[in-house]
Amino acid sequence: ESDNDASRCSSNPGSSTLFMNSVVGQKYYVVIIGINNATGNFGLLLTDESNGCNSAQNILVDGTVTVGSNENGTSVGGICDREDYTPEDYHGLGVWYSFTGTGRRVKISTCTNETDAGFDTYIAVYSSTDATSCDASDWNCISENGSDASQCSTKPKSSTLLLDSIAGQKYDIVVIGNNNAIGTFGLILEDEGGELR
């Protein structure tokens, strides 16, 4: 169930958004209720969110560029709830990836030739207490970074972060178009050395 959540739809803060994992062939019923006996017209939109964290593409820390687009991504908002970030700034469509920690420092970046010029990207990295869960309550925000021209002079709207990974730990990465930007990006994971843990 879901009640109204302005963080998921700033244009209509009285609306509701619900994400669920469906079972093939299972029939579902959706009930729309006006809160506090409210009445009115509504629109109902069902979308395939298969770019969500349940279908995260596994990538390697080997310097290979993975090309993606957030055009059909999952709606993501309120990334890494931190006091020094305004969640509304980071709403947008995101694409999920995962990788396994190497026990060394990993550079995660969209500073690649494949990233559209001017495409404002944002990266967040999570670990989870349950590797099979996409429930945000199971996530632990490890790191995040918006566009940073000092990290990439050729693509100043790209994002780069360094992560001291734990060997064998599964990490989820979401690449988002900042402020609802849509575009193509290249995501690269590179070993930055140092036996850490």
Side-chain angles (χ1 to χ4, degrees), residues 2 57 75 82 179 181 191:
S2 175
Q57 177 185 343
S75 178
R82 284 176 37 168
N179 297 313
D191 177 55

Side-chain angles (χ1 to χ4, degrees), residues 5 12 16 28 33 36 53 55 58 60 66 75 80 91 97 103 109 122 152 155 165 177 190 197:
D5 181 356
N12 190 352
S16 302
Y28 296 94
I33 301 169
N36 296 325
C53 89
S55 60
N58 190 58
L60 301 175
T66 300
S75 178
C80 289
H91 282 201
Y97 298 90
S109 181
Y122 179 87
C152 185
K155 298 289 174 78
S165 71
E190 297 176 286
R197 45 190 170 162

Side-chain angles (χ1 to χ4, degrees), residues 8 12 14 31 37 66 77 80 87 90-91 110 131 134 141 179 197:
R8 295 200 182 273
N12 190 352
V31 177
N37 297 315
T66 300
C80 289
Y90 301 104
H91 282 201
T110 57
C134 278
C141 179
N179 297 313
R197 45 190 170 162

Side-chain angles (χ1 to χ4, degrees), residues 39-186:
T39 60
N41 297 322
F42 62 86
L44 178 63
L45 176 65
L46 302 178
T47 58
D48 179 358
E49 297 290 316
S50 57
N51 279 324
C53 89
N54 273 329
S55 60
Q57 177 185 343
N58 190 58
I59 55 179
L60 301 175
V61 184
D62 64 359
T64 300
V65 176
T66 300
V67 179
S69 169
N70 70 331
E71 183 175 3
N72 296 309
T74 301
S75 178
V76 180
I79 300 303
C80 289
D81 188 16
R82 284 176 37 168
E83 292 180 2
D84 54 337
Y85 284 85
T86 303
E88 287 76 12
D89 292 342
Y90 301 104
H91 282 201
L93 297 178
V95 181
W96 291 86
Y97 298 90
S98 66
F99 76 98
T100 302
T102 61
R104 295 162 59 92
R105 180 162 291 155
V106 177
K107 180 179 179 180
I108 304 168
S109 181
T110 57
C111 179
T112 64
N113 292 332
E114 292 77 8
T115 298
D116 288 344
F119 180 35
D120 192 358
T121 62
Y122 179 87
I123 298 172
V125 180
Y126 298 89
S127 65
S128 176
T129 56
D130 178 354
T132 64
S133 174
C134 278
D135 185 335
S137 65
D138 293 326
W139 293 344
N140 178 28
C141 179
I142 302 297
S143 185
E144 83 275 87
N145 190 2
S147 54
D148 185 352
S150 69
Q151 296 285 328
C152 185
S153 60
T154 58
K155 298 289 174 78
K157 294 287 188 176
S158 66
S159 305
T160 300
L161 61 83
L162 296 175
L163 174 72
D164 293 338
S165 71
I166 298 173
Q169 170 71 53
K170 177 182 177 282
Y171 296 95
D172 289 303
I173 304 169
V174 61
V175 180
I176 303 163
N178 242 350
N179 297 313
N180 297 306
I182 301 293
T184 297
F185 59 85

